[in-house]
Amino acid sequence: MVKPKDSPKEAGDQAGLEERLAECTIEKVGEGVFWVDSEGRFRRINEAACRMHGFTREELLARDIHDVTDVYAGSRKEWARFWEHLRRERHMLKESQHFRKDGTRFPVEVQAVFVEAEGEEFCCGFAREITERKRREAQLRAAIERWQTVFEASNDAIFIVDPPSDRIVAANARAAAITGYPQEQLKEVPISSIHPREMERLRAFDKEVRECGYGRSEEFSCLAKTGASVPVEISASPIDFEGRERLMVIARDITRRKQAERELREAYEEVKRLKDRLKAENLYLQSEIEDSHAAEGIVTVNPPFKEVLKKARQVARTGSTALILGETGTGKELIARLIHAESPRRDRPLVKINCAALPENLIESELFGHEQGAFTGATSRREGRFELAADGTIFLDEIGELSPELQVKFLRILQEGEFERIGGTKTLRVDVRAVAATNRDLRQAVLDGEFREDLYYRLSVFPLTTVPLRERKDDIPPLVEHFVTKHRARVGSAVKRISKRTYSILQHYDWPGNVRELENVVERALIVSTGIDLEINENLLSHSLRQKKQEDPQTLKEMEKAMIEEALENSGGVIEGKRGAARRLDMPASTLRERMRRFGISRRK
């Protein structure tokens, strides 16, 4: 069915309605609407345009475009060029400055449309005041500038990262300095190339930051372009950057802090080491306090023994190793103390260790120390005697009792000054002067394969041989007087005199235990003497003069073996305790067992 055409009246009514609707729309719209002809005159404006500029409709219609903006001021040619451009483009969008009636300026955004109607050309403009927008933009620019200033001036490296793509969106100059990449090139470097060894940790870190929604920090290592590893402390937090959710990573170079921490730890370890060493020295020196003055215990008028002391003082001034040979009880330790006291190392400790008195499984730990956990019972690190004697002197008594394995280590420390603690991997260095002593014939031990030849020659740079008491009988009177003075007050004795008969008894005894045995006899005599005279008879001596064997042992080894056998026989085979053989021989039970093993002596029932 064909729809009939509208009548002229209906068509006119429709056109009138559309014109009224257009008029209503123009008047009600919030933007300023104005029609301008090719000469720049206002031909039509709406109420919003009037309010925007502060004019009434009549005042504004009486003006032209040049009265509300100076964009085209100064030359009509500017307006003509604008009109030609608008005619060609048909549509323009630009920002401009307009005037109000009171002369104040305000920014506007103008959308201009070229219109031809009834043979004339018009510009239909829609003007929107953008003062608030410009204010916000200015604030945003200022904030961006501040952020950019802080971003670039920060002493910390800052990376803006897009985690899904592993891409660095932005980085500051400090980031470039730490990584070694040019700042612009960093945008082409994936974050995984900077943290290749810790990417799993970094991803877990990123996930945790995103899940909790706030920043946190953790230590990582950063791989520089040169391949160097730089320790950094990373803090990260999610941010909105350029309209997308990113991760801002702030990396602080903690190389100096790590160095300071390392130096602090080392300083603390050094303080702890020195404190432990001082404590150990104090404990050691307290146990040795009565022997702290080396020469005080040496009493002699015997020329051969005085010659030994003279040689000891000569070697003391050097740094050479000294080997003191002689029978048990002849004052080897006193000579070692004299060497230390006369040496440049006198202000450092003299540390002694009896190689025969300690079990074989402990002597290495005593000499070289051990690390925590090196063996069962090693609950903490312990410094050995060599470390304790650093810059001082170590006296190794009974050096001939060292096992072959320890002889190798001892040779190394004498030659190189190097050793390792038990259970340790770090080579330690120590400057220590060694003085060794033994009652064994080391030459024979070398021939028997019991002692290393190279160690023997290293030790015997300056050998000293002590004089047994049986060969220095002239020292017995001054020694007896010395021991009486030393022990009289302690045992509460009233002894003041020593008879010629007493001296005669003592000088006719061979003293297999040497000066140590003489001191023990004098101390026992002080205890049993009831008057002012020192009473000594043959019963106080280990071997009665009447029962003295006609055949004396031909060697020190035979003499020592005979003494052990006799002591075991007299003790009924008992080694330890008040009546044991070890007490009779004045030696530790462990030393006696070692001697019995070496001489092949069985324990008697």
Side-chain angles (χ1 to χ4, degrees):
M1 182 175 180
V2 180
K3 182 178 179 181
K5 293 183 180 181
D6 293 334
S7 65
K9 181 178 182 303
E10 290 175 342
D13 292 342
Q14 182 65 27
L17 177 60
E18 291 176 358
E19 184 177 351
R20 289 192 302 273
L21 288 173
E23 182 70 23
C24 181
T25 300
I26 290 173
E27 287 299 326
K28 298 298 183 181
V29 72
E31 297 179 355
V33 180
F34 49 85
W35 289 76
V36 182
D37 61 21
S38 60
E39 297 298 323
R41 294 188 300 267
F42 288 121
R43 301 291 291 272
R44 186 169 183 178
I45 56 175
N46 70 348
E47 186 61 31
C50 297
R51 289 195 305 270
M52 185 184 300
H53 293 84
F55 292 98
T56 64
R57 190 185 300 268
E58 291 74 16
E59 289 173 335
L60 197 54
L61 286 173
R63 288 165 170 76
D64 59 23
I65 191 67
H66 304 292
D67 294 321
V68 295
T69 180
D70 58 2
V71 175
Y72 317 106
S75 174
R76 292 287 177 173
K77 290 182 179 180
E78 291 293 331
W79 174 256
R81 279 196 292 269
F82 163 75
W83 197 262
E84 286 300 321
H85 182 73
L86 181 61
R87 181 188 290 120
R88 185 173 60 253
E89 297 296 330
R90 315 301 281 185
H91 181 274
M92 291 178 61
L93 180 66
K94 62 180 297 185
E95 291 184 7
S96 180
Q97 287 283 327
H98 279 209
F99 308 136
R100 290 191 174 87
K101 183 177 180 179
D102 58 8
T104 58
R105 292 171 175 265
F106 62 97
V108 293
E109 182 182 71
V110 178
Q111 183 174 340
V113 179
F114 184 77
V115 179
E116 292 182 286
E118 298 180 2
E120 288 190 68
E121 295 178 346
F122 299 95
C123 170
C124 178
F126 298 86
R128 175 182 300 170
E129 184 175 352
I130 55 173
T131 300
E132 183 60 26
R133 192 181 82 184
K134 285 294 182 181
R135 186 184 65 80
R136 289 197 300 268
E137 288 177 355
Q139 289 177 338
L140 180 60
R141 281 195 303 274
I144 291 173
E145 288 174 1
R146 287 195 300 272
W147 183 85
Q148 194 70 27
T149 300
V150 173
F151 184 75
E152 289 299 335
S154 174
N155 288 325
D156 297 330
I158 303 176
F159 302 87
I160 307 299
V161 180
D162 181 36
S165 64
D166 189 30
R167 188 171 63 88
I168 297 173
V169 178
N172 66 351
R174 185 59 182 158
I178 287 180
T179 60
Y181 290 95
Q183 192 169 354
E184 285 303 315
Q185 188 180 343
L186 270 176
K187 295 182 181 180
E188 303 170 6
V189 177
I191 195 70
S192 57
S193 66
I194 298 177
H195 299 279
R197 290 170 292 195
E198 298 190 292
M199 277 309 295
E200 290 303 318
R201 270 187 69 213
L202 196 63
R203 289 192 181 97
F205 181 69
D206 169 48
K207 181 180 178 183
E208 186 177 343
V209 168
R210 290 179 175 278
E211 287 178 351
C212 68
Y214 55 84
R216 57 182 296 271
S217 61
E218 196 167 318
E219 289 186 8
F220 288 85
S221 61
C222 175
L223 187 66
K225 187 178 182 180
T226 60
S229 181
V230 181
V232 292
E233 182 181 68
I234 286 180
S235 60
S237 56
I239 63 167
D240 184 350
F241 184 80
E242 295 180 346
R244 293 187 61 181
E245 185 179 351
R246 313 283 193 183
L247 191 68
M248 182 170 69
V249 178
I250 300 176
R252 175 167 296 174
D253 186 349
I254 55 175
T255 302
R256 291 186 179 179
R257 190 179 85 187
K258 285 294 183 182
Q259 176 67 21
E261 288 176 357
R262 184 163 54 251
E263 291 175 355
L264 187 61
R265 283 195 302 272
E266 290 173 356
Y268 174 77
E269 289 297 324
E270 178 69 7
V271 169
K272 186 175 183 298
R273 186 184 69 80
L274 292 174
K275 181 180 177 182
D276 292 343
R277 178 174 167 179
L278 182 61
K279 181 180 178 181
E281 286 180 3
N282 286 339
L283 290 174
Y284 180 80
L285 292 174
Q286 284 172 12
S287 67
E288 300 293 317
I289 193 69
E290 63 181 20
D291 298 319
S292 59
H293 301 290
E296 288 182 1
I298 300 178
V299 177
T300 185
V301 295
N302 180 260
F305 194 62
K306 283 185 176 181
E307 185 64 25
V308 173
L309 298 180
K310 178 182 176 181
K311 291 180 179 179
R313 289 186 171 93
Q314 287 176 338
V315 74
R317 293 189 291 269
T318 72
S320 300
T321 301
L323 177 63
I324 307 170
L325 304 170
E327 298 176 16
T328 299
T330 53
K332 295 190 291 296
E333 183 178 338
L334 290 177
I335 294 175
R337 290 184 179 278
L338 175 62
I339 291 173
H340 175 71
E342 298 284 335
S343 75
R345 299 172 182 261
R346 66 179 68 88
D347 294 328
R348 296 296 301 151
L350 167 68
V351 176
K352 72 173 184 177
I353 186 168
N354 190 319
C355 300
L358 289 170
E360 191 170 332
N361 61 334
L362 290 181
I363 189 169
E364 185 175 2
S365 174
E366 282 292 320
L367 286 172
F368 306 113
H370 61 255
E371 297 290 347
Q372 182 177 358
F375 50 83
T376 303
T379 57
S380 62
R381 190 183 75 181
R382 180 183 177 185
E383 293 184 349
R385 296 292 178 93
F386 272 99
E387 287 181 83
L388 188 62
D391 302 321
T393 305
I394 189 165
F395 174 52
L396 294 130
D397 199 8
E398 304 295 349
I399 188 69
E401 308 306 319
L402 282 179
S403 67
E405 294 79 10
L406 282 177
Q407 290 177 31
V408 173
K409 293 186 176 182
F410 189 58
L411 178 62
R412 179 190 176 197
I413 198 169
L414 284 180
Q415 291 180 334
E416 309 295 337
E418 296 180 346
F419 68 99
E420 289 89 28
R421 297 192 190 101
I422 298 176
T425 57
K426 183 180 179 181
T427 299
L428 304 175
R429 296 191 60 84
V430 66
D431 177 18
V432 64
R433 195 250 188 96
V435 176
T438 183
N439 60 8
R440 293 185 62 186
D441 183 351
L442 286 188
R443 287 180 179 271
Q444 187 61 45
V446 170
L447 294 176
D448 295 341
E450 297 177 357
F451 202 81
R452 292 181 63 94
E453 184 177 11
D454 48 3
L455 178 57
Y456 169 72
Y457 286 114
R458 186 67 182 80
L459 287 170
S460 58
V461 173
F462 197 93
L464 293 164
T465 303
T466 60
V467 182
L469 188 57
R470 63 180 174 274
E471 295 178 11
R472 44 183 284 219
K473 296 288 183 72
D474 50 346
D475 274 342
I476 290 178
L479 282 171
V480 171
E481 292 177 4
H482 171 73
F483 293 140
V484 167
T485 303
K486 178 180 177 181
H487 297 293
R488 181 171 49 200
R490 184 173 59 82
V491 301
S493 174
V495 169
K496 294 182 179 179
R497 295 183 305 196
I498 305 169
S499 67
K500 290 184 178 180
R501 177 181 175 279
T502 297
Y503 281 134
S504 178
I505 292 173
L506 296 175
Q507 287 179 317
H508 283 83
Y509 181 58
D510 278 347
W511 299 106
N514 291 294
V515 177
R516 183 180 296 131
E517 184 182 2
L518 175 62
E519 182 175 4
N520 290 341
V521 168
V522 171
E523 186 176 356
R524 288 197 294 270
L526 286 170
I527 295 172
V528 300
S529 297
T530 56
I532 62 172
D533 292 315
L534 184 69
E535 299 175 2
I536 292 181
N537 56 53
E538 296 173 2
N539 294 328
L540 290 175
L541 305 178
S542 298
H543 297 273
S544 171
L545 293 176
R546 292 190 302 268
Q547 298 174 354
K548 184 175 180 294
K549 294 182 179 179
Q550 296 298 320
E551 303 85 12
D552 289 333
Q554 297 302 308
T555 66
L556 290 174
K557 185 181 290 187
E558 291 172 348
M559 181 185 295
E560 188 176 4
K561 181 179 180 182
M563 288 177 62
I564 293 173
E565 288 175 339
E566 183 175 350
L568 286 168
E569 183 176 353
N570 292 335
S571 68
V574 178
I575 293 176
E576 300 185 41
K578 292 183 178 180
R579 297 183 181 181
R583 184 69 174 269
R584 290 171 180 268
L585 294 171
D586 192 27
M587 66 171 63
S590 59
T591 303
L592 177 56
R593 289 191 177 91
E594 174 60 23
R595 298 287 197 282
M596 291 170 63
R597 182 189 63 78
R598 191 199 314 159
F599 294 134
I601 299 174
S602 61
R603 182 171 176 174
R604 298 176 184 177
K605 303 294 183 183

